Amino acid sequence: INISVFPPSNACIGRYILNMQITSCGHTYQRCLGDFYVLFNPWCADDPVYMDNQAHREEYVLNEHGILYEGVHKHITSRPWHFGQFEDGILDICLKILDMGASYHHGSDRDHCWRNDPVHVSMVVNHMISSHTTSSIMKIPENNDYLKGTKPFSWNGSVPILQQWYNGRCRPVRYGYCGSLASVMCTVMRCLGIPSRVVTNFCFPCSIENPLGINETFDCTGKNLCGKDKLWRYHCWNESWMARRDLNQCCGDWQCLDPTPLETGRGSACSGPTWVRSIREGELDLDYDGHHMFSRVNSNYVGWLSQNNAKKTKFFCDAWPCGQHLITKSVGSEQFEDITGAYKYELGSVKNKEAYYRAYRRIHPGYCNASNCHIERELSSLKNPFLSDSGINMRLKMANCPMYGEDVQLHWLLENLRNENKTLKFNLSAQIITYSGCPMDQFWKDSVNVTLGPREVKKIPLCISYSQYGPHLCDHNIMKVVAVSDPECGEVLMVSRDIVINRPPVIVKLLSQPRLKVPCTAEISFCNPLQEDMKNCVMTLEGCGLFKEPMTIDLGTLASNQQARTIVEFTPYRLGSHQLLANFGCHKF
């Protein structure tokens, strides 16, 4: 007997047991035919997660390989990630996540009735990633201290994280960061049949007191002082595709879900789902956490100089607006797609201003009846004056793309916009900054006197050697270079540049043609570019469909310019397109 099961489009997702009742000769008994799984179906037009584009379904549901974008908005870096949603056991782990998080919104899960709604399912998954008090999948290290766990940036994929959580009796895996949290959520959502993707937002504000403003304070040397506000260099979250019945949507659209717990003034919490279009339109009353998501792509940056007498002065500076670059992996390509236009209209356009005024009135109730002009005057009073208002233009331009071990070369460009001489004293500094905006060691300081003739343009070379930044960089590959004019010269000018130090590449070379269930070999090589030994060198290899578990190779100590070559053998156990990922770590990073 062939049995076909056609569950309705509103069936609850999960594992089902199929029994057959047999009556024969006056006797009735049951026989278990087995079990089956019901998932959301983006191929079904009646399903709330229906996506009508086949190329998009292949990318956002079927593709196990992703790319995480990191760095800073002027220097975007990328690294591959294995989602692994079709690996053995991952579906059972994803359903376990729903079981563990079922009480988050619904108190009791006896009827499972909420499991046919992708909105509620996404909220449960979002909460379980890192916000659940005892059973969340992953924790973020406090104060960048991860000595009691795995380095957050050493993960290559979601599968080892989910397996460690499941096998560890659902205790949080230590440690992750926003990129791994969003990627694990993407794995779970794709596994359950919900189209999903990871998005990176550059210049991400995290402010407790002012939802639409982010403040950074510096001292007279250019050192970034640690305050309540943090300007993250980048932040990753998840987007999932679904039709929101609670918003009377008849067609699917992207919904924003941020699994990283962020401080909101009422404690830390994850955010979403928030309809991306409502963020662009400033319609914050429509959705969950709309005001939080709007502020994360529309906040205004303000830079301050703190002097010895505790007085604060606004800089003359050209600040990069928050949330001006949002990207995700392109469909069927290794390149990124700029999706900033989905979150906000073009900066300065009429629609952009209208959406901002609309959101401002909802975030600040005291302005609910204020005119647009009143709000605009309030915003203008909060912003930094432009450098050009002082008669000087400045910028820091990279002269090279430094690799770990190389000196950082910059050109400091200054232009006098006036018909008179300008003489200024500047303090220069460089400081390590974490991706989440926490200032670390200030390792370089200098002072320069600059004289500019009328309308003169001057280019001053700057060099920061590896011997100066190397001992301080550690796992954080971002530094901030700042030039601040001396307050005694009058108006306080500031220019800054975030610089990413690229890590040395790991080279992977296949030595034989991969075939299903046939041993294959690959050569993994890495060269130490430093003029010193690298200690505690470890290579971690991972590949869905290639390795059942990640492989760790201890390389010991690598001398200066020494190249390490390792031959590894693996047996592909699943058909499809696979990636072999190699991650290198040592005492330096």
Side-chain angles (χ1 to χ4, degrees):
I1 301 175
N2 292 324
I3 299 175
S4 298
V5 179
F6 296 93
S9 60
N10 62 348
C12 293
I13 65 168
R15 176 175 172 265
Y16 288 76
I17 298 174
L18 183 62
N19 292 317
M20 181 170 64
Q21 182 174 293
I22 302 173
T23 301
S24 177
C25 301
H27 297 283
T28 300
Y29 60 94
Q30 287 191 344
R31 173 177 294 177
C32 180
L33 300 182
D35 55 11
F36 64 94
Y37 296 86
V38 173
L39 305 175
F40 292 109
N41 186 358
W43 281 262
C44 174
D46 295 328
D47 199 291
V49 302
Y50 173 64
M51 181 175 268
D52 62 359
N53 188 305
Q54 175 61 19
H56 287 194
R57 289 193 294 254
E58 291 177 358
E59 179 67 49
Y60 301 131
V61 182
L62 301 180
N63 193 359
E64 293 186 85
H65 310 307
I67 297 177
L68 298 186
Y69 297 100
E70 301 168 345
V72 298
H73 69 275
K74 289 186 178 180
H75 184 169
I76 297 173
T77 61
S78 64
R79 64 188 188 98
W81 186 273
H82 279 314
F83 293 118
Q85 64 267 33
F86 300 121
E87 286 293 292
D88 291 342
I90 294 300
L91 178 54
D92 288 321
I93 295 175
C94 293
L95 295 178
K96 180 68 173 179
I97 292 171
L98 298 186
D99 292 339
M100 296 295 294
S103 61
Y104 173 55
H105 286 292
H106 306 279
S108 172
D109 193 35
R110 284 191 296 248
D111 55 6
H112 293 77
C113 64
W114 58 273
R115 298 197 183 203
N116 66 355
D117 184 354
V119 175
H120 290 300
V121 169
S122 66
M123 293 176 79
V124 169
V125 174
N126 200 29
H127 173 70
M128 280 297 297
I129 295 297
S130 193
S131 294
H132 194 284
T133 52
T134 57
S135 299
S136 60
I137 297 171
M138 207 166 206
K139 279 194 173 297
I140 295 177
E142 296 181 5
N143 302 318
N144 298 302
D145 180 11
Y146 42 80
L147 295 178
K148 295 182 180 179
T150 303
K151 290 183 178 181
F153 295 94
S154 66
W155 301 101
N156 290 326
S158 305
V159 174
I161 297 171
L162 291 169
Q163 289 175 338
Q164 185 174 327
W165 174 79
Y166 186 76
N167 296 330
R169 298 180 181 180
C170 303
R171 288 191 294 266
V173 176
R174 302 168 185 251
Y175 288 105
Y177 75 112
C178 64
S180 52
L181 299 185
S183 299
V184 169
M185 181 167 187
C186 188
T187 295
V188 175
M189 300 294 274
R190 289 186 183 184
C191 184
L192 297 177
I194 303 175
S196 296
R197 62 188 184 183
V198 177
V199 172
T200 301
N201 174 19
F202 293 93
C203 295
F204 173 83
C206 188
S207 176
I208 299 174
E209 297 178 350
N210 184 2
L212 288 173
I214 182 79
N215 295 279
E216 276 195 323
T217 305
F218 300 80
D219 67 12
C220 60
T221 69
K223 181 180 180 179
N224 190 335
L225 305 177
C226 187
K228 293 181 180 180
D229 292 355
K230 297 289 187 295
L231 182 63
W232 293 37
R233 270 46 193 175
Y234 65 89
H235 180 60
C236 301
W237 60 62
N238 194 81
E239 279 186 0
S240 294
W241 180 274
M242 64 190 76
R244 296 284 298 278
R245 307 304 191 209
D246 56 324
L247 299 181
N248 297 318
Q249 294 177 4
C250 58
C251 300
D253 206 344
W254 289 113
Q255 316 293 328
C256 179
L257 293 138
D258 189 352
T260 303
L262 296 172
E263 185 60 46
T264 63
R266 294 175 297 178
S268 60
C270 57
S271 302
T274 308
W275 187 19
V276 171
R277 190 176 300 178
S278 72
I279 299 172
R280 185 178 66 177
E281 301 296 338
E283 297 286 357
L284 310 188
D285 294 339
L286 285 178
D287 221 342
Y288 302 99
D289 304 311
H291 61 294
H292 292 313
M293 297 311 304
F294 183 89
S295 66
R296 291 169 187 176
V297 296
N298 287 284
S299 288
N300 293 304
Y301 174 90
V302 184
W304 298 88
L305 173 69
S306 176
Q307 302 183 49
N308 294 332
N309 57 3
K311 177 186 176 183
K312 285 187 177 182
T313 306
K314 281 184 187 176
F315 289 119
F316 282 78
C317 66
D318 297 334
W320 179 266
C322 299
Q324 285 301 303
H325 204 182
L326 292 99
I327 61 175
T328 188
K329 180 183 177 298
S330 295
V331 174
S333 168
E334 301 295 309
Q335 304 301 314
F336 66 75
E337 176 187 357
D338 191 329
I339 58 171
T340 309
Y343 281 84
K344 57 198 303 182
Y345 291 106
E346 184 179 355
L347 188 66
S349 67
V350 173
K351 287 187 175 181
N352 174 256
K353 291 182 178 180
E354 289 176 350
Y356 195 94
Y357 298 147
R358 193 179 299 122
Y360 196 90
R361 293 185 179 98
R362 285 164 171 78
I363 292 174
H364 299 286
Y367 288 83
C368 62
N369 296 317
S371 65
N372 292 347
C373 293
H374 186 184
I375 296 175
E376 189 63 41
R377 284 196 300 270
E378 180 69 19
L379 294 174
S380 298
S381 67
L382 297 175
K383 295 179 181 178
N384 286 95
F386 294 109
L387 274 171
S388 56
D389 296 337
S390 70
I392 297 284
N393 264 341
M394 296 190 296
R395 64 190 180 105
L396 291 168
K397 184 178 180 181
M398 295 302 300
N400 69 338
C401 188
M403 186 81 69
Y404 210 105
E406 297 178 349
D407 295 345
V408 176
Q409 306 284 348
L410 300 102
H411 289 145
W412 182 18
L413 306 176
L414 302 99
E415 180 184 7
N416 184 359
L417 304 176
R418 303 279 171 81
N419 293 317
E420 56 190 29
N421 290 332
K422 288 274 189 178
T423 300
L424 295 168
K425 178 183 178 182
F426 284 92
N427 295 319
L428 307 173
S429 77
Q431 187 175 11
I432 304 299
I433 300 289
T434 69
Y435 83 97
S436 57
C438 294
M440 307 291 279
D441 298 341
Q442 184 188 39
F443 59 86
W444 176 75
K445 290 191 293 185
D446 198 0
S447 59
V448 178
N449 291 310
V450 178
T451 299
L452 294 171
R455 303 287 177 178
E456 182 183 2
V457 177
K458 185 171 287 187
K459 180 167 69 174
I460 300 175
L462 302 176
C463 178
I464 303 172
S465 67
Y466 170 73
S467 61
Q468 291 173 313
Y469 74 78
H472 306 273
L473 202 57
C474 299
D475 294 312
H476 315 292
N477 63 334
I478 302 175
M479 69 171 73
K480 187 179 188 71
V481 177
V482 178
V484 178
S485 65
D486 194 313
E488 295 181 359
C489 297
E491 298 162 334
V492 184
L493 316 181
M494 191 269 277
V495 66
S496 66
R497 175 88 186 212
D498 290 338
I499 299 171
V500 175
I501 306 298
N502 295 312
R503 291 183 177 171
V506 178
I507 309 299
V508 179
K509 181 181 179 182
L510 286 176
L511 302 180
S512 58
Q513 183 67 31
R515 295 182 180 179
L516 184 65
K517 297 181 180 179
V518 176
C520 178
T521 55
E523 179 186 80
I524 317 296
S525 59
F526 175 85
C527 183
N528 175 9
L530 307 182
Q531 300 301 312
E532 58 182 300
D533 292 349
M534 282 185 170
K535 301 174 183 177
N536 306 323
C537 299
V538 174
M539 191 83 72
T540 303
L541 306 178
E542 185 179 337
C544 291
L546 305 177
F547 298 96
K548 288 288 186 181
E549 295 180 355
M551 180 186 298
T552 301
I553 302 172
D554 188 355
L555 301 176
T557 299
L558 289 180
S560 174
N561 296 317
Q562 179 184 349
Q563 189 168 42
R565 285 191 176 90
T566 303
I567 305 297
V568 296
E569 183 176 286
F570 55 91
T571 303
Y573 59 87
R574 185 156 58 84
L575 289 172
S577 174
H578 306 300
Q579 284 185 328
L580 174 58
L581 300 185
N583 189 38
F584 178 84
C586 67
H587 77 292
K588 284 287 186 181
F589 50 81

